[in-house]
Amino acid sequence: MAIGLKVCGAARTVTGLCLLFEAPRARILVDCGMFQGPKTLKALNYEPFPFEPGAIDSVLLTHAHIDHSGLLPRLVKLGYRGRIHCTEATRDLCSCLLPDAGHIQETEVEQLNRRNRRRGREPVAPIYTAQDAERTLRSFDPVTYGEWINPAEGIRARFWNAGHMLGSASIELEFDTGDGPVRVLVSGDIGPDLGPMQRDPEGPTGGIDHLIVESTYGDEDRPAIAPAARRAALGELVRSAARQCGTMLVPVFAVERAQEVMLDLVTLMRTGQVPEADIHLDSPLSNRATRVFAQHAAMLEDGAALLAALADPRLHEVEDAQQSMRLARQEGFRIVLAGSGMCEAGRIRAHLQSKLWDPRTVVALVGFQATGTLGRLLQDGAAQVRIRGETVRVAARIALVEGYSGHADGPELGRWIVARGPVRGGVFLVHGEETAIDGLAKRVLGRGIVPEAALVSPVLDEAFRLSPGRAPERDAGASGRRREQPERVGHPDWHNERAALLLGIDEAIEQAGDDRTRAALLERLRRALEDR
C-alpha cells in the first residue's frame, strides 16, 4: 500500500513548509509553517487548511523558524489535539517565537481595525493570539537526536542534526504499510559546511525511498567564506559607518543570525579591528532567544566564545518601544541590530524609515531576502521604497554580507543528497523559488541519484502516492481542498505592483519641471482612472 503525501506549503517558494503524510493507520504533519512575503502569499495564513486539523494524529517539527512552525497555534486553535515532537532546543526557541508571533498579529490587526473603522470596513481577527501560542506550547514533546520515536500508529521517526540552527533537524520517517516499509527523509533546512555556529549537517545513508529536500540556494555556488573573512567584510562596513559618523543598521532574524552578528561585532572590537561602539539589540524577541542560546551553548560549535561575547558591556538590550523610537531618532555612530531579517515587520522598519535617506547610513543585510520583501527591494537597488505608507528615498549604503546564511548552497545540497543515496524512489525539491529549484535540479540530474521522471518540484497542495522503491505518482483524486492559483504562489503580486506604481507617480511628480507639468500629469492619471 502506498503512502499519501500532500505538499501544503513551501512549494516553489521559501516559506510555509507543511507536509501531510497519510498512512494506513494515521495522518501526520511535518512542519506547519507561516507564509511570508507578498501579501497574496501571506493571505494563505488566513485560509482554511487543506486538511482537517482534528484528523491529524501527530506533528513533527524540523526547527523553530516561523516559516516552519508559525501556524502551529492556528492548527491547535482549529482542533488539533495531538503532540508536537521536536528537539528540546526547538521547543525552547518556540516558547519565544510563537507567543511573539501571536502578539505581532494582535498588534497589527488592532492597527488595521482602526483603519478599517475609518473606512467603514468590517473588523478582522488575528490568525491567532499570544494566548493561543502559549496553549500550543503545552503540546510539545522533546526528542533526542538519533533516537527512534513512535509518533503515531504504524509510523516511527528519527531526528538528525541538520546544522541549520540551534535544535534544527532532518526527520527520517518509516511507514509500516503492511506490504513492507516506506522510508522517507525530510531534510528540513540544511546548514552549510562552514556554518558559523552549528556543526555539520548529518543524516542517514542508504535505503531511503523518497527524499524531500529544501532548495533555498539551490542555484547558487557561493564561495566558501571562513568566519574570519565574514568578520572582515562586516568590519569594513563598521569602519565605513564610523568614518561618516553614521548609523549602521543590521536587520536580523531573531534566532541564530542576531547571535552570530553580535559575536562577530564583539570579536572585531576586542581585537581592535573596528572602532569601539555601542551595539544595540533592538528586538525583545532576539533578547529572549539569546538567553535560550546561552542555555544550550554546549550544543554549539564554539559556545564558550558566544557566552563570553554576550557578557560584553558594549551590548545593550532595547526592550521598551519608547526607547526604540528614541534610538531611531539619534544621530552619530552606533550599531543597531533590529528585527526582522527581511525588513517585513518589527522595529527595523522604523529605523529604516528614519535613516534610509541619509547617505551616512550603512545597512548590512546578513540573511536571505525573499521576493517581494522590503529587504529584497533594498538588496536589488531600489531608489525609493514605501515604509508604513511613506515614500522614503534610499541614499544609504546597502551591502549584502555573505557567510551568515544558515542554508547550504547548491553544491553543498548536491553533496548532501548524494550522501543520502541511493534514493530508490523520488526526490522532491521544495522550499525554494523557481530559479533555485531549477538550479538544484540540474545538479541532481545525471548523477545517478534518480531518473528525471522521479525528480519532482511540486506546486501548492499537489498530492502524490509514495511506494517503496518506485517513482512517486501524482494523485489527482486525493482528499481535501486545494487553494486557488498554486502556480502564482511566491511571485510578486498586485500589492507589489501598486507600491511600484505609487513610487513611480511620486517620482514623476517630483521630477516635473513646474506646476503646469505636474497638473497635466495628474490630469492624465485622472483620465486613465475614469476610462478603466
Side-chain angles (χ1 to χ4, degrees):
M1 181 180 292
I3 299 298
L5 165 66
K6 179 178 280 190
V7 182
C8 304
R12 305 189 189 182
T13 184
V14 294
T15 66
L17 186 67
C18 182
L19 304 172
L20 170 63
F21 291 94
E22 298 188 75
R25 288 167 284 175
R27 286 179 161 193
I28 67 168
L29 292 182
V30 173
D31 288 355
C32 191
M34 182 174 286
F35 293 96
Q36 299 167 305
K39 289 187 178 181
T40 301
L41 184 57
K42 290 191 287 189
L44 294 175
N45 296 319
Y46 290 88
E47 289 195 22
F49 287 109
F51 50 80
E52 176 55 50
I56 304 298
D57 296 286
S58 188
V59 175
L60 295 91
L61 178 60
T62 61
H63 63 288
H65 279 150
I66 289 296
D67 61 324
H68 292 257
S69 70
L71 287 186
L72 286 171
R74 186 165 190 261
L75 188 74
V76 172
K77 181 179 180 179
L78 295 181
Y80 175 67
R81 295 295 177 263
R83 308 303 296 172
I84 300 168
H85 305 275
C86 62
T87 64
E88 183 178 7
T90 293
R91 179 201 62 187
D92 293 346
L93 287 171
C94 282
S95 71
C96 303
L97 288 165
L98 294 180
D100 181 78
H103 174 70
I104 288 173
Q105 291 161 49
E106 291 178 77
T107 302
E108 289 182 346
V109 164
E110 181 182 357
Q111 295 170 349
L112 175 61
N113 283 337
R114 283 200 295 267
R115 294 196 296 271
N116 284 346
R117 284 194 295 271
R118 292 194 294 268
R119 298 168 180 170
R121 298 177 182 174
E122 293 296 319
V124 298
I127 303 169
Y128 58 84
T129 65
Q131 186 177 23
D132 293 328
E134 294 286 356
R135 188 179 303 113
T136 300
L137 294 171
R138 302 171 194 161
S139 301
F140 278 61
D141 277 346
V143 302
T144 302
Y145 288 128
E147 293 185 4
W148 286 102
I149 64 169
N150 297 99
E153 187 177 0
I155 303 172
R156 66 175 189 156
R158 181 164 53 169
F159 285 60
W160 297 83
N161 192 338
H164 170 63
M165 63 170 286
L166 183 67
S168 64
S170 300
I171 302 178
E172 180 184 2
L173 299 162
E174 187 175 282
F175 298 92
D176 181 6
T177 66
D179 299 322
V182 176
R183 293 185 66 206
V184 178
L185 179 62
V186 180
S187 72
D189 287 352
I190 299 298
D193 293 341
L194 290 176
M197 298 176 69
Q198 301 299 326
R199 295 180 170 89
D200 290 344
E202 302 171 342
T205 55
I208 297 297
D209 291 302
H210 301 278
L211 177 61
I212 303 170
V213 61
E214 67 118 330
S215 51
T216 309
Y217 287 112
D219 61 331
E220 295 192 23
D221 184 357
R222 297 174 301 190
I225 300 176
R230 184 192 67 231
R231 282 194 294 271
L234 184 68
E236 191 277 322
L237 297 178
V238 175
R239 292 189 292 272
S240 176
R243 284 193 300 269
Q244 301 174 113
C245 201
T247 300
M248 179 171 173
L249 299 177
V250 188
V252 289
F253 299 94
V255 177
E256 201 88 9
R257 207 68 67 246
Q259 293 76 29
E260 291 169 351
V261 174
M262 284 191 293
L263 173 58
D264 278 357
L265 288 170
V266 170
T267 300
L268 288 166
M269 291 181 190
R270 284 182 172 175
T271 55
Q273 298 178 63
V274 299
E276 297 280 333
D278 288 328
I279 305 168
H280 302 273
L281 184 58
D282 191 6
S283 167
L285 176 58
S286 295
N287 293 332
R288 293 193 293 275
T290 297
R291 289 189 275 275
V292 174
F293 269 75
Q295 178 184 347
H296 293 278
M299 295 179 60
L300 303 175
E301 191 75 29
D302 195 357
L306 177 64
L307 288 175
L310 296 179
D312 193 278
R314 302 174 186 86
L315 293 177
H316 307 281
E317 292 187 359
V318 181
E319 291 285 351
D320 181 77
Q322 296 299 319
Q323 183 184 358
S324 174
M325 292 172 63
R326 290 194 297 271
L327 181 63
R329 292 192 295 266
Q330 290 177 6
E331 301 289 331
F333 173 48
R334 59 184 46 78
I335 301 171
V336 179
L337 282 60
S340 65
M342 296 185 194
C343 310
E344 281 295 277
R347 295 180 179 178
I348 190 62
R349 292 176 72 86
H351 289 284
L352 291 170
Q353 189 175 20
S354 177
K355 293 290 193 297
L356 272 179
W357 61 270
D358 190 342
R360 298 173 299 172
T361 301
V362 174
V363 179
L365 300 174
V366 294
F368 180 78
Q369 308 297 317
T371 298
T373 63
L374 175 57
R376 182 64 163 264
L377 294 174
L378 293 174
Q379 179 179 315
D380 290 346
Q384 296 182 94
V385 293
R386 288 183 66 82
I387 303 176
R388 302 193 295 188
E390 179 185 347
T391 300
V392 182
R393 180 172 62 93
V394 181
R397 176 182 177 184
I398 311 297
L400 177 64
V401 184
E402 300 282 5
Y404 283 103
S405 175
H407 290 271
D409 66 4
E412 290 167 328
L413 285 170
R415 291 193 293 272
W416 187 88
I417 292 170
V418 169
R420 309 284 76 80
V423 179
R424 301 180 300 203
V427 173
F428 293 80
L429 303 182
V430 299
H431 202 282
E433 296 172 358
E434 291 184 21
T435 53
I437 289 173
D438 292 344
L440 185 56
K442 293 174 183 176
R443 299 180 189 280
V444 173
L445 292 175
R447 301 180 69 174
I449 300 169
V450 289
E452 185 172 359
L455 183 64
V456 182
S457 57
V459 297
L460 185 66
D461 296 333
E462 194 169 10
F464 301 86
R465 305 297 291 173
L466 308 182
S467 302
R470 293 172 53 187
E473 300 173 354
R474 285 179 168 81
D475 186 2
S479 61
R481 64 183 294 275
R482 290 191 66 179
R483 287 162 284 197
E484 296 181 359
Q485 295 183 305
E487 294 81 4
R488 291 296 303 162
V489 167
H491 291 269
D493 57 21
W494 69 268
H495 298 277
N496 301 100
E497 294 171 1
R498 180 183 64 177
L501 175 62
L502 292 173
L503 287 171
I505 292 172
D506 288 345
E507 184 175 5
I509 291 173
E510 287 180 7
Q511 292 179 353
D514 51 43
D515 287 348
R516 183 176 179 179
T517 305
R518 295 185 185 97
L521 174 61
L522 291 171
E523 180 59 29
R524 289 200 299 273
L525 290 170
R526 288 192 192 96
R527 287 201 300 269
L529 290 173
E530 291 170 356
D531 294 341
R532 69 188 188 279

